[in-house]
Amino acid sequence: QFIGLKLVESVSIRGHCDGIVCLCDCGGNIILCNPAIKELKLLPKSCLPNWGYSDVGIGYDPKSKDYKVQRISCDGEEIYGDRLVFFPPRVEIYNLSTDTWREIKSNCLETEATFLWPEDFEMYWKGICYWLGYEQPKEFESYFDRLEDEKKKTVVFFFDTGDEVFHSILLPDCVYEPPEEYRYDMSIVLWNESVALFGLESPDAYAESYGIWVMDDFDGGKGSWTRHLTFKLLVDVKRVLRL
């Protein structure tokens, strides 16, 4: 049940699911809003420290029939001599039915040499929350070495709301080809009831080219993309409305 809300400032929309909108404010508060019945709920304080960077997403678990908010937090970094070492991401889940947070294991976001960082929540669809983020080395030779974009690889993340596990797949191969800057202008969208990737395919001096790739047969971290269409914008059109 939604309850009244304290005073909050600078609210931004982070995601939505089944008519429930997830909001965050500049003070780190997370609010659920149901516009249809005009009710709000301020979530309890996180069970993790309030670090400088975190992001949230929302989805529905068809197994437990419960709404779940995911919060992914940066666990910080330290400099050891000439090396910059990152700590692993930490993940906590809020259950609407119990009105509580709990931390879950995040070892699915770690490989032997890299960490996987879900960074931008995109959407919820059929038991899965979709994020965009990147994979990066666990450590760098120097503090400034982290600024080299080739050290990061953009990936798509899937969070199974029932199993509470993240999976990831790479973007289409052509997205990783030079020039590389356009890979950061990507969105996960629904296209004819299928999950698709939409974004800038290639910058052009006169008309930028956008593409839509439909995801095929995702299963346990394995999947592929099929290019559906490519189109160019009219001159002087600077922004495309999301599908």
Side-chain angles (χ1 to χ4, degrees):
Q1 183 179 358
F2 290 85
I3 62 176
L5 185 66
K6 299 177 182 178
L7 179 65
V8 295
E9 298 179 353
S10 302
V11 175
S12 62
I13 298 176
R14 296 302 182 92
H16 61 87
C17 175
D18 295 344
I20 299 176
V21 182
C22 184
L23 309 169
C24 292
D25 75 351
C26 58
N29 295 306
I30 301 175
I31 307 105
L32 297 182
C33 169
N34 190 330
I37 57 177
K38 299 180 180 179
E39 290 192 356
L40 303 166
K41 180 175 180 60
L42 177 65
L43 302 196
K45 288 297 183 182
S46 162
C47 65
L48 298 180
N50 187 22
W51 290 302
Y53 171 77
S54 66
D55 211 335
V56 299
I58 183 173
Y60 178 73
D61 177 7
K63 293 181 179 180
S64 64
K65 295 180 172 57
D66 196 9
Y67 289 94
K68 295 180 177 180
V69 175
Q70 314 112 52
R71 180 174 182 258
I72 303 166
S73 298
C74 173
D75 203 7
E77 60 193 49
E78 284 193 13
I79 297 176
Y80 296 94
D82 294 331
R83 295 182 299 118
L84 175 66
V85 178
F86 285 88
F87 301 144
R90 295 175 68 175
V91 181
E92 60 180 338
I93 302 296
Y94 168 84
N95 288 77
L96 182 59
S97 61
T98 61
D99 193 31
T100 56
W101 290 96
R102 56 190 167 83
E103 186 173 7
I104 64 172
K105 294 181 179 179
S106 60
N107 53 349
C108 55
L109 296 176
E110 180 177 0
T111 71
E112 183 175 347
T114 66
F115 286 133
L116 296 154
W117 296 93
E119 187 175 38
D120 296 308
F121 177 71
E122 294 288 309
M123 71 174 191
Y124 165 81
W125 178 247
K126 293 185 177 180
I128 303 294
C129 291
Y130 293 87
W131 296 68
L132 280 171
Y134 59 89
E135 181 180 17
Q136 73 168 33
K138 291 182 177 179
E139 62 179 70
F140 293 90
E141 294 181 0
S142 71
Y143 181 85
F144 296 101
D145 192 33
R146 67 188 294 187
L147 302 177
E148 298 181 16
D149 289 339
E150 64 268 17
K151 298 291 185 180
K152 296 181 179 181
K153 178 172 286 188
T154 307
V155 295
V156 175
F157 293 91
F158 310 84
F159 179 74
D160 188 312
T161 57
D163 296 337
E164 296 185 347
V165 173
F166 281 92
H167 301 282
S168 64
I169 65 171
L170 296 176
L171 277 61
D173 291 341
C174 63
V175 178
Y176 297 106
E177 298 172 359
E180 299 176 347
E181 63 269 15
Y182 58 81
R183 79 179 62 163
Y184 301 106
D185 187 18
M186 292 287 172
S187 297
I188 302 295
V189 298
L190 285 180
W191 179 261
N192 293 332
E193 299 298 304
S194 296
V195 175
L197 182 72
F198 167 72
L200 182 61
E201 182 180 31
S202 61
D204 186 277
Y206 300 99
E208 294 178 329
S209 175
Y210 282 78
I212 296 176
W213 298 262
V214 175
M215 189 177 64
D216 303 314
D217 302 323
F218 172 76
D219 181 20
K222 296 181 180 180
S224 59
W225 302 94
T226 298
R227 187 196 303 271
H228 185 76
L229 61 85
T230 300
F231 62 94
K232 290 189 176 183
L233 299 183
L234 298 175
V235 176
D236 296 330
V237 174
K238 299 299 183 183
R239 185 178 181 87
V240 178
L241 291 178
R242 183 166 170 170
L243 301 178

